[in-house]
Amino acid sequence: MLVFHQRVGGIIPRLALLAALVLTCSHSLAAPAASPARHLADHSPPISFYLVKGQPGACGEGCDSWIAAEGRIDNIAVARFRKFLKQVGDRRLPIYFESPGGNLEQALAIGNLLRERKAIARVGRTMVRDCGLEAQDSEVCVKLKQSGRELTGDVWTRGAMCASACPYLILGAPTREIAPDTMLAVHSPRVILNFTTGVPPPELRTRALQQASARADRLVLDYLKKMGIDSGLLAASRSVRFEGLHILSREEIARFGLDRREVAETRWMFENASLGVAYKTVISRKPGDTSFRTTRFQLVCFDADRFELDFQRPALAATGTASVAIVNGAERLNFLYPPRRGSGQETWGARLNGGQLRALAASAATDLTEGELREGNWQFASSRLSTDGLPAALQRLLSGCPQAKATSAMSAGREQVAGAVR
């Protein structure tokens, strides 16, 4: 049996298996010094699969329902997934995964089922509204997720993680959409041998460890070949000690074949922070480039008719004049020059009124135009920007905005903090 786990600290539990080889894949997380190290995967509930109904467009254009898969990949995860698929029937819904890892063989078997089903796999964290004030990982909420009922909720990509055995699971899906604000993480395995006839001599242990590692590598390499994935993924995981954790860069995600899209963007989402913000992340690579560029947008309100839209990108060399604008039909919205610069980033801000923002939200997409003055000539580049999710995010943002006439100290305070793109 091959098992991938995550861990906290330096303790890896020995599994009492007869003549079994256990492969654990772990990474260390910071833990309070006064607390004993505990095994993170053991603390995660066994992976649950459940149906979720959200708002229109919650999981993309024309999509309001999805499958949530979250928790530790335990040794009966495949049986649980097969039973769930029978309940779902032929509905072709996207599946959002968030998992710390678990049993590798079970993960590969689920991956094969995803391939047979021609599934769409994504990384995302589902927030179930039916749980009310209960924490999402509370016993009450976990039981609800395991009840077999169709639940109501929202799905979030920012900060969601698929680690250890979880990325291998996702590889089975023919369509893989890794949002630019999620994380895929890998690390090297550690083989633990359990002998039932006493302590073997060192040379026998060494040989057994080598054979177990070779078997694990063959298992993964065969799977990667079947799924059309570059074997460099295994090499990347092997290059990181089991105590560490390597978050795959977007360049690696594309090179290994996990998600080959040259442009990937999130929906507009609303977050009820101290002020309430709507945000969006885009990652893109131009033809011929080797690296991706990450850009972020953030929208805040001062009142119901005054808003600021911020755009953040990697800073350009400050050698000339530049411009940034959003073109929506016949209307052009110019960002103020010069941008704010710091930590290798530059943030451009633009002021909008309610009418401009509603027109932007009503369009299916808009154009982002970036220009730079070089040697007396302007050079422009445009990219298409989806407004998916903006109407719903704007509605929630407006619900917390003061009325247009309330331009008091509150508004002034909001203006001072408006530019910080999250």
PDB file of all heavy atoms in Angstrom, residues 129-158:
ATOM      1  N   ARG A 129     -23.335  27.152   2.999  1.00  0.00           N
ATOM      2  CA  ARG A 129     -24.193  28.087   3.747  1.00  0.00           C
ATOM      3  C   ARG A 129     -25.094  27.352   4.734  1.00  0.00           C
ATOM      4  O   ARG A 129     -25.476  27.914   5.761  1.00  0.00           O
ATOM      5  CB  ARG A 129     -25.031  28.909   2.772  1.00  0.00           C
ATOM      6  CG  ARG A 129     -24.211  29.909   1.955  1.00  0.00           C
ATOM      7  CD  ARG A 129     -25.100  30.965   1.322  1.00  0.00           C
ATOM      8  NE  ARG A 129     -26.006  30.393   0.327  1.00  0.00           N
ATOM      9  CZ  ARG A 129     -25.715  30.293  -0.966  1.00  0.00           C
ATOM     10  NH1 ARG A 129     -24.532  30.703  -1.413  1.00  0.00           N
ATOM     11  NH2 ARG A 129     -26.586  29.791  -1.822  1.00  0.00           N
ATOM     12  N   ASP A 130     -25.435  26.092   4.440  1.00  0.00           N
ATOM     13  CA  ASP A 130     -26.309  25.332   5.337  1.00  0.00           C
ATOM     14  C   ASP A 130     -25.677  25.114   6.708  1.00  0.00           C
ATOM     15  O   ASP A 130     -26.379  24.783   7.670  1.00  0.00           O
ATOM     16  CB  ASP A 130     -26.649  23.975   4.718  1.00  0.00           C
ATOM     17  CG  ASP A 130     -27.288  24.107   3.355  1.00  0.00           C
ATOM     18  OD1 ASP A 130     -26.540  24.333   2.383  1.00  0.00           O
ATOM     19  OD2 ASP A 130     -28.514  24.010   3.253  1.00  0.00           O
ATOM     20  N   CYS A 131     -24.356  25.268   6.818  1.00  0.00           N
ATOM     21  CA  CYS A 131     -23.689  25.077   8.104  1.00  0.00           C
ATOM     22  C   CYS A 131     -23.945  26.245   9.052  1.00  0.00           C
ATOM     23  O   CYS A 131     -23.609  26.160  10.239  1.00  0.00           O
ATOM     24  CB  CYS A 131     -22.185  24.889   7.902  1.00  0.00           C
ATOM     25  SG  CYS A 131     -21.751  23.336   7.087  1.00  0.00           S
ATOM     26  N   GLY A 132     -24.529  27.323   8.536  1.00  0.00           N
ATOM     27  CA  GLY A 132     -24.846  28.457   9.395  1.00  0.00           C
ATOM     28  C   GLY A 132     -23.617  29.035  10.049  1.00  0.00           C
ATOM     29  O   GLY A 132     -22.606  29.299   9.384  1.00  0.00           O
ATOM     30  N   LEU A 133     -23.671  29.208  11.362  1.00  0.00           N
ATOM     31  CA  LEU A 133     -22.553  29.786  12.106  1.00  0.00           C
ATOM     32  C   LEU A 133     -21.507  28.749  12.495  1.00  0.00           C
ATOM     33  O   LEU A 133     -20.470  29.095  13.068  1.00  0.00           O
ATOM     34  CB  LEU A 133     -23.079  30.482  13.372  1.00  0.00           C
ATOM     35  CG  LEU A 133     -24.035  31.666  13.125  1.00  0.00           C
ATOM     36  CD1 LEU A 133     -24.503  32.238  14.454  1.00  0.00           C
ATOM     37  CD2 LEU A 133     -23.362  32.748  12.283  1.00  0.00           C
ATOM     38  N   GLU A 134     -21.770  27.481  12.199  1.00  0.00           N
ATOM     39  CA  GLU A 134     -20.801  26.432  12.507  1.00  0.00           C
ATOM     40  C   GLU A 134     -19.576  26.556  11.595  1.00  0.00           C
ATOM     41  O   GLU A 134     -19.702  26.896  10.414  1.00  0.00           O
ATOM     42  CB  GLU A 134     -21.424  25.046  12.312  1.00  0.00           C
ATOM     43  CG  GLU A 134     -22.553  24.725  13.266  1.00  0.00           C
ATOM     44  CD  GLU A 134     -22.056  24.411  14.664  1.00  0.00           C
ATOM     45  OE1 GLU A 134     -20.846  24.153  14.815  1.00  0.00           O
ATOM     46  OE2 GLU A 134     -22.879  24.422  15.599  1.00  0.00           O
ATOM     47  N   ALA A 135     -18.396  26.276  12.126  1.00  0.00           N
ATOM     48  CA  ALA A 135     -17.182  26.280  11.316  1.00  0.00           C
ATOM     49  C   ALA A 135     -17.283  25.201  10.239  1.00  0.00           C
ATOM     50  O   ALA A 135     -17.901  24.143  10.445  1.00  0.00           O
ATOM     51  CB  ALA A 135     -15.959  26.040  12.189  1.00  0.00           C
ATOM     52  N   GLN A 136     -16.661  25.469   9.089  1.00  0.00           N
ATOM     53  CA  GLN A 136     -16.749  24.537   7.979  1.00  0.00           C
ATOM     54  C   GLN A 136     -16.134  23.178   8.306  1.00  0.00           C
ATOM     55  O   GLN A 136     -16.534  22.164   7.738  1.00  0.00           O
ATOM     56  CB  GLN A 136     -16.069  25.133   6.748  1.00  0.00           C
ATOM     57  CG  GLN A 136     -16.786  26.344   6.176  1.00  0.00           C
ATOM     58  CD  GLN A 136     -18.124  25.991   5.550  1.00  0.00           C
ATOM     59  OE1 GLN A 136     -18.213  25.089   4.726  1.00  0.00           O
ATOM     60  NE2 GLN A 136     -19.172  26.711   5.941  1.00  0.00           N
ATOM     61  N   ASP A 137     -15.161  23.148   9.224  1.00  0.00           N
ATOM     62  CA  ASP A 137     -14.540  21.876   9.596  1.00  0.00           C
ATOM     63  C   ASP A 137     -15.061  21.336  10.920  1.00  0.00           C
ATOM     64  O   ASP A 137     -14.489  20.410  11.493  1.00  0.00           O
ATOM     65  CB  ASP A 137     -13.022  22.021   9.659  1.00  0.00           C
ATOM     66  CG  ASP A 137     -12.564  23.069  10.665  1.00  0.00           C
ATOM     67  OD1 ASP A 137     -13.431  23.781  11.226  1.00  0.00           O
ATOM     68  OD2 ASP A 137     -11.346  23.187  10.899  1.00  0.00           O
ATOM     69  N   SER A 138     -16.157  21.913  11.412  1.00  0.00           N
ATOM     70  CA  SER A 138     -16.741  21.423  12.664  1.00  0.00           C
ATOM     71  C   SER A 138     -17.409  20.065  12.434  1.00  0.00           C
ATOM     72  O   SER A 138     -17.729  19.683  11.306  1.00  0.00           O
ATOM     73  CB  SER A 138     -17.776  22.420  13.191  1.00  0.00           C
ATOM     74  OG  SER A 138     -18.901  22.478  12.312  1.00  0.00           O
ATOM     75  N   GLU A 139     -17.624  19.355  13.507  1.00  0.00           N
ATOM     76  CA  GLU A 139     -18.244  18.033  13.410  1.00  0.00           C
ATOM     77  C   GLU A 139     -19.641  18.122  12.804  1.00  0.00           C
ATOM     78  O   GLU A 139     -20.034  17.299  11.976  1.00  0.00           O
ATOM     79  CB  GLU A 139     -18.317  17.385  14.801  1.00  0.00           C
ATOM     80  CG  GLU A 139     -18.880  15.972  14.790  1.00  0.00           C
ATOM     81  CD  GLU A 139     -18.889  15.341  16.170  1.00  0.00           C
ATOM     82  OE1 GLU A 139     -18.306  15.938  17.097  1.00  0.00           O
ATOM     83  OE2 GLU A 139     -19.471  14.247  16.323  1.00  0.00           O
ATOM     84  N   VAL A 140     -20.388  19.157  13.179  1.00  0.00           N
ATOM     85  CA  VAL A 140     -21.742  19.336  12.653  1.00  0.00           C
ATOM     86  C   VAL A 140     -21.716  19.556  11.152  1.00  0.00           C
ATOM     87  O   VAL A 140     -22.476  18.940  10.396  1.00  0.00           O
ATOM     88  CB  VAL A 140     -22.432  20.523  13.361  1.00  0.00           C
ATOM     89  CG1 VAL A 140     -23.763  20.846  12.688  1.00  0.00           C
ATOM     90  CG2 VAL A 140     -22.641  20.211  14.844  1.00  0.00           C
ATOM     91  N   CYS A 141     -20.817  20.421  10.702  1.00  0.00           N
ATOM     92  CA  CYS A 141     -20.753  20.747   9.280  1.00  0.00           C
ATOM     93  C   CYS A 141     -20.215  19.575   8.465  1.00  0.00           C
ATOM     94  O   CYS A 141     -20.703  19.297   7.363  1.00  0.00           O
ATOM     95  CB  CYS A 141     -19.890  21.982   9.071  1.00  0.00           C
ATOM     96  SG  CYS A 141     -20.059  22.721   7.437  1.00  0.00           S
ATOM     97  N   VAL A 142     -19.217  18.883   8.984  1.00  0.00           N
ATOM     98  CA  VAL A 142     -18.666  17.724   8.272  1.00  0.00           C
ATOM     99  C   VAL A 142     -19.732  16.649   8.100  1.00  0.00           C
ATOM    100  O   VAL A 142     -19.861  16.035   7.025  1.00  0.00           O
ATOM    101  CB  VAL A 142     -17.432  17.170   9.017  1.00  0.00           C
ATOM    102  CG1 VAL A 142     -17.014  15.820   8.428  1.00  0.00           C
ATOM    103  CG2 VAL A 142     -16.273  18.155   8.939  1.00  0.00           C
ATOM    104  N   LYS A 143     -20.532  16.404   9.137  1.00  0.00           N
ATOM    105  CA  LYS A 143     -21.607  15.410   9.025  1.00  0.00           C
ATOM    106  C   LYS A 143     -22.629  15.826   7.973  1.00  0.00           C
ATOM    107  O   LYS A 143     -23.153  14.986   7.236  1.00  0.00           O
ATOM    108  CB  LYS A 143     -22.285  15.224  10.387  1.00  0.00           C
ATOM    109  CG  LYS A 143     -21.467  14.421  11.384  1.00  0.00           C
ATOM    110  CD  LYS A 143     -22.249  14.202  12.676  1.00  0.00           C
ATOM    111  CE  LYS A 143     -21.453  13.345  13.645  1.00  0.00           C
ATOM    112  NZ  LYS A 143     -22.202  13.129  14.923  1.00  0.00           N
ATOM    113  N   LEU A 144     -22.882  17.114   7.890  1.00  0.00           N
ATOM    114  CA  LEU A 144     -23.820  17.618   6.889  1.00  0.00           C
ATOM    115  C   LEU A 144     -23.276  17.362   5.486  1.00  0.00           C
ATOM    116  O   LEU A 144     -24.007  16.944   4.578  1.00  0.00           O
ATOM    117  CB  LEU A 144     -24.054  19.106   7.113  1.00  0.00           C
ATOM    118  CG  LEU A 144     -25.136  19.780   6.269  1.00  0.00           C
ATOM    119  CD1 LEU A 144     -26.495  19.140   6.531  1.00  0.00           C
ATOM    120  CD2 LEU A 144     -25.190  21.276   6.567  1.00  0.00           C
ATOM    121  N   LYS A 145     -21.980  17.582   5.299  1.00  0.00           N
ATOM    122  CA  LYS A 145     -21.355  17.351   4.006  1.00  0.00           C
ATOM    123  C   LYS A 145     -21.341  15.871   3.636  1.00  0.00           C
ATOM    124  O   LYS A 145     -21.303  15.515   2.453  1.00  0.00           O
ATOM    125  CB  LYS A 145     -19.928  17.908   4.010  1.00  0.00           C
ATOM    126  CG  LYS A 145     -19.865  19.423   4.157  1.00  0.00           C
ATOM    127  CD  LYS A 145     -18.433  19.912   4.320  1.00  0.00           C
ATOM    128  CE  LYS A 145     -18.380  21.420   4.514  1.00  0.00           C
ATOM    129  NZ  LYS A 145     -16.995  21.916   4.708  1.00  0.00           N
ATOM    130  N   GLN A 146     -21.355  15.020   4.625  1.00  0.00           N
ATOM    131  CA  GLN A 146     -21.342  13.578   4.383  1.00  0.00           C
ATOM    132  C   GLN A 146     -22.747  12.974   4.336  1.00  0.00           C
ATOM    133  O   GLN A 146     -22.899  11.764   4.193  1.00  0.00           O
ATOM    134  CB  GLN A 146     -20.529  12.880   5.487  1.00  0.00           C
ATOM    135  CG  GLN A 146     -19.061  13.276   5.506  1.00  0.00           C
ATOM    136  CD  GLN A 146     -18.320  12.729   6.723  1.00  0.00           C
ATOM    137  OE1 GLN A 146     -18.937  12.271   7.689  1.00  0.00           O
ATOM    138  NE2 GLN A 146     -16.997  12.773   6.678  1.00  0.00           N
ATOM    139  N   SER A 147     -23.764  13.822   4.422  1.00  0.00           N
ATOM    140  CA  SER A 147     -25.143  13.331   4.523  1.00  0.00           C
ATOM    141  C   SER A 147     -25.729  12.856   3.200  1.00  0.00           C
ATOM    142  O   SER A 147     -26.752  12.183   3.182  1.00  0.00           O
ATOM    143  CB  SER A 147     -26.039  14.440   5.101  1.00  0.00           C
ATOM    144  OG  SER A 147     -26.152  15.534   4.178  1.00  0.00           O
ATOM    145  N   GLY A 148     -25.127  13.236   2.082  1.00  0.00           N
ATOM    146  CA  GLY A 148     -25.684  12.884   0.777  1.00  0.00           C
ATOM    147  C   GLY A 148     -26.677  13.894   0.246  1.00  0.00           C
ATOM    148  O   GLY A 148     -27.171  13.750  -0.882  1.00  0.00           O
ATOM    149  N   ARG A 149     -26.998  14.916   1.029  1.00  0.00           N
ATOM    150  CA  ARG A 149     -27.932  15.956   0.587  1.00  0.00           C
ATOM    151  C   ARG A 149     -27.247  16.924  -0.377  1.00  0.00           C
ATOM    152  O   ARG A 149     -26.028  17.096  -0.342  1.00  0.00           O
ATOM    153  CB  ARG A 149     -28.425  16.755   1.790  1.00  0.00           C
ATOM    154  CG  ARG A 149     -29.356  16.019   2.733  1.00  0.00           C
ATOM    155  CD  ARG A 149     -29.615  16.861   3.964  1.00  0.00           C
ATOM    156  NE  ARG A 149     -29.876  18.266   3.627  1.00  0.00           N
ATOM    157  CZ  ARG A 149     -29.895  19.254   4.529  1.00  0.00           C
ATOM    158  NH1 ARG A 149     -29.661  18.980   5.810  1.00  0.00           N
ATOM    159  NH2 ARG A 149     -30.136  20.488   4.153  1.00  0.00           N
ATOM    160  N   GLU A 150     -28.030  17.542  -1.238  1.00  0.00           N
ATOM    161  CA  GLU A 150     -27.516  18.648  -2.033  1.00  0.00           C
ATOM    162  C   GLU A 150     -27.563  19.900  -1.172  1.00  0.00           C
ATOM    163  O   GLU A 150     -28.616  20.258  -0.640  1.00  0.00           O
ATOM    164  CB  GLU A 150     -28.340  18.850  -3.308  1.00  0.00           C
ATOM    165  CG  GLU A 150     -27.820  19.990  -4.173  1.00  0.00           C
ATOM    166  CD  GLU A 150     -28.516  20.079  -5.518  1.00  0.00           C
ATOM    167  OE1 GLU A 150     -28.765  19.022  -6.142  1.00  0.00           O
ATOM    168  OE2 GLU A 150     -28.824  21.216  -5.933  1.00  0.00           O
ATOM    169  N   LEU A 151     -26.416  20.560  -1.036  1.00  0.00           N
ATOM    170  CA  LEU A 151     -26.288  21.690  -0.134  1.00  0.00           C
ATOM    171  C   LEU A 151     -26.192  22.995  -0.925  1.00  0.00           C
ATOM    172  O   LEU A 151     -26.037  22.983  -2.149  1.00  0.00           O
ATOM    173  CB  LEU A 151     -25.045  21.511   0.747  1.00  0.00           C
ATOM    174  CG  LEU A 151     -24.979  20.187   1.521  1.00  0.00           C
ATOM    175  CD1 LEU A 151     -23.659  20.059   2.250  1.00  0.00           C
ATOM    176  CD2 LEU A 151     -26.149  20.070   2.499  1.00  0.00           C
ATOM    177  N   THR A 152     -26.294  24.097  -0.224  1.00  0.00           N
ATOM    178  CA  THR A 152     -26.138  25.399  -0.865  1.00  0.00           C
ATOM    179  C   THR A 152     -24.837  26.024  -0.377  1.00  0.00           C
ATOM    180  O   THR A 152     -24.437  25.824   0.775  1.00  0.00           O
ATOM    181  CB  THR A 152     -27.309  26.345  -0.528  1.00  0.00           C
ATOM    182  OG1 THR A 152     -27.367  26.535   0.895  1.00  0.00           O
ATOM    183  CG2 THR A 152     -28.618  25.761  -1.028  1.00  0.00           C
ATOM    184  N   GLY A 153     -24.176  26.769  -1.258  1.00  0.00           N
ATOM    185  CA  GLY A 153     -22.913  27.361  -0.843  1.00  0.00           C
ATOM    186  C   GLY A 153     -22.271  28.210  -1.908  1.00  0.00           C
ATOM    187  O   GLY A 153     -22.864  28.531  -2.938  1.00  0.00           O
ATOM    188  N   ASP A 154     -21.032  28.584  -1.646  1.00  0.00           N
ATOM    189  CA  ASP A 154     -20.206  29.375  -2.549  1.00  0.00           C
ATOM    190  C   ASP A 154     -18.867  28.656  -2.698  1.00  0.00           C
ATOM    191  O   ASP A 154     -18.446  27.915  -1.801  1.00  0.00           O
ATOM    192  CB  ASP A 154     -19.965  30.781  -1.992  1.00  0.00           C
ATOM    193  CG  ASP A 154     -21.265  31.537  -1.757  1.00  0.00           C
ATOM    194  OD1 ASP A 154     -21.952  31.846  -2.743  1.00  0.00           O
ATOM    195  OD2 ASP A 154     -21.602  31.801  -0.576  1.00  0.00           O
ATOM    196  N   VAL A 155     -18.195  28.905  -3.809  1.00  0.00           N
ATOM    197  CA  VAL A 155     -16.889  28.305  -4.018  1.00  0.00           C
ATOM    198  C   VAL A 155     -15.860  29.418  -4.180  1.00  0.00           C
ATOM    199  O   VAL A 155     -16.093  30.403  -4.870  1.00  0.00           O
ATOM    200  CB  VAL A 155     -16.885  27.354  -5.237  1.00  0.00           C
ATOM    201  CG1 VAL A 155     -17.199  28.079  -6.534  1.00  0.00           C
ATOM    202  CG2 VAL A 155     -15.569  26.599  -5.327  1.00  0.00           C
ATOM    203  N   TRP A 156     -14.728  29.259  -3.501  1.00  0.00           N
ATOM    204  CA  TRP A 156     -13.651  30.236  -3.510  1.00  0.00           C
ATOM    205  C   TRP A 156     -12.381  29.563  -4.000  1.00  0.00           C
ATOM    206  O   TRP A 156     -12.086  28.424  -3.628  1.00  0.00           O
ATOM    207  CB  TRP A 156     -13.400  30.790  -2.101  1.00  0.00           C
ATOM    208  CG  TRP A 156     -14.590  31.459  -1.503  1.00  0.00           C
ATOM    209  CD1 TRP A 156     -15.671  30.858  -0.929  1.00  0.00           C
ATOM    210  CD2 TRP A 156     -14.837  32.859  -1.444  1.00  0.00           C
ATOM    211  NE1 TRP A 156     -16.582  31.794  -0.510  1.00  0.00           N
ATOM    212  CE2 TRP A 156     -16.090  33.041  -0.810  1.00  0.00           C
ATOM    213  CE3 TRP A 156     -14.117  33.980  -1.842  1.00  0.00           C
ATOM    214  CZ2 TRP A 156     -16.628  34.295  -0.580  1.00  0.00           C
ATOM    215  CZ3 TRP A 156     -14.660  35.227  -1.610  1.00  0.00           C
ATOM    216  CH2 TRP A 156     -15.897  35.376  -0.981  1.00  0.00           C
ATOM    217  N   THR A 157     -11.629  30.271  -4.820  1.00  0.00           N
ATOM    218  CA  THR A 157     -10.362  29.719  -5.290  1.00  0.00           C
ATOM    219  C   THR A 157      -9.175  30.315  -4.543  1.00  0.00           C
ATOM    220  O   THR A 157      -8.178  29.624  -4.329  1.00  0.00           O
ATOM    221  CB  THR A 157     -10.189  29.970  -6.800  1.00  0.00           C
ATOM    222  OG1 THR A 157     -10.307  31.366  -7.084  1.00  0.00           O
ATOM    223  CG2 THR A 157     -11.239  29.204  -7.588  1.00  0.00           C
ATOM    224  N   ARG A 158      -9.271  31.575  -4.140  1.00  0.00           N
ATOM    225  CA  ARG A 158      -8.101  32.232  -3.550  1.00  0.00           C
ATOM    226  C   ARG A 158      -7.634  31.511  -2.290  1.00  0.00           C
ATOM    227  O   ARG A 158      -8.380  31.344  -1.321  1.00  0.00           O
ATOM    228  CB  ARG A 158      -8.412  33.695  -3.220  1.00  0.00           C
ATOM    229  CG  ARG A 158      -7.156  34.447  -2.794  1.00  0.00           C
ATOM    230  CD  ARG A 158      -7.312  35.929  -2.836  1.00  0.00           C
ATOM    231  NE  ARG A 158      -8.187  36.457  -1.810  1.00  0.00           N
ATOM    232  CZ  ARG A 158      -8.327  37.766  -1.579  1.00  0.00           C
ATOM    233  NH1 ARG A 158      -7.682  38.629  -2.325  1.00  0.00           N
ATOM    234  NH2 ARG A 158      -9.135  38.183  -0.632  1.00  0.00           N
TER     235      ARG A 158
END
